[in-house]
Amino acid sequence: MSMQSFIVILTVVFIILFSVAVFVYVRELPGGVTSPAERKPIYSPVLMVFIICIATVVGVLLYVWNRVFKPIEKLNEALIRVKKGDFNCQLVGDNEIDEIEEMYSNFNSMAQVIENTLEEVSGEREKLKNVFDRLDAGVAAFEENGELIHINPAALSMLSLPESHKPSFDELTCALAIPEIAWYNTVV
């Protein structure tokens, strides 16, 4: 449940409680008399304190909503953007709560570190690809599950495979006439 719906529900509950309190207070006269002439006035001190309490609670809830929950929602939206690959989003805080400012600062640093790390990994991957592609020896790299990571042009040429073809581990070992390696991979 969002904070807005919580505040609306709480406000409705307070209004209902207030109405019941007014009804009960006005009806609660000595001897159970219910004639309009004998009812106590609604503006009694008890009812005024009750109204002030309700207004205070609603005010505090609105303050907490604006100072705590809105910034957390803003952080959540930024996290979703980072999850989708947008590392350029930066949170600018104008909040008076130091912990929220610290969260924003940590988020901005984290997004920058992730972006830099991904750029470094991409650069290293490109370097390795260039090294593998320039080797005269055939090189193929596979995941543990047999999925091809990379195969260089020399390996494809040795196997007389087209450059666009991406063989599986089993296909490669069979093409090299080493079926026992393919068999061992499926057993393990």
Side-chain angles (χ1 to χ4, degrees):
M1 172 180 357
S2 72
M3 187 61 180
Q4 287 174 327
S5 57
F6 176 73
I7 289 174
V8 168
I9 291 171
L10 195 60
T11 304
V12 169
V13 168
F14 277 129
I15 290 171
I16 292 171
L17 287 175
F18 175 73
S19 300
V20 168
V22 168
F23 179 76
V24 168
Y25 186 76
V26 171
R27 297 278 179 194
E28 289 290 322
L29 294 174
V33 179
T34 59
S35 69
E38 296 183 17
R39 291 186 185 149
K40 292 183 181 178
I42 293 178
Y43 55 88
S44 71
V46 174
L47 288 178
M48 295 311 273
V49 168
F50 188 71
I51 291 171
I52 291 170
C53 287
I54 289 175
T56 303
V57 167
V58 170
V60 167
L61 285 174
L62 290 174
Y63 176 80
V64 168
W65 170 254
N66 285 324
R67 294 294 181 195
V68 176
F69 290 105
K70 273 189 179 179
I72 290 174
E73 279 185 358
K74 191 175 172 183
L75 177 63
N76 189 41
E77 290 167 4
L79 286 169
I80 291 169
R81 287 177 54 192
V82 167
K83 179 181 170 186
K84 292 179 179 178
D86 179 10
F87 301 106
N88 294 324
C89 65
Q90 295 288 309
L91 293 174
V92 179
D94 54 353
N95 201 303
E96 298 167 0
I97 300 174
D98 293 338
E99 288 79 5
I100 290 177
E101 291 297 321
E102 187 176 344
M103 274 193 323
Y104 280 9
S105 175
N106 289 338
F107 170 82
N108 293 338
S109 298
M110 177 199 68
Q112 188 63 48
V113 167
I114 291 172
E115 183 176 27
N116 292 344
T117 303
L118 288 175
E119 286 174 4
E120 288 175 17
V121 167
S122 178
E124 292 300 317
R125 176 176 281 170
E126 193 61 34
K127 287 178 191 174
L128 284 173
K129 182 182 177 309
N130 288 336
V131 168
F132 283 144
D133 287 349
R134 286 180 175 66
L135 289 174
D136 291 333
V139 177
F142 292 91
E143 294 280 350
E144 287 182 16
N145 63 3
E147 184 181 332
L148 180 69
I149 298 171
H150 182 76
I151 188 166
N152 69 349
L156 291 170
S157 175
M158 288 176 174
L159 299 169
S160 302
L161 294 172
E163 217 173 287
S164 61
H165 188 67
K166 305 295 181 203
S168 68
F169 182 80
D170 291 341
E171 199 178 345
L172 184 68
T173 54
C174 287
L176 292 171
I178 320 174
E180 57 274 2
I181 294 176
W183 175 82
Y184 176 77
N185 185 44
T186 58
V187 171
V188 175

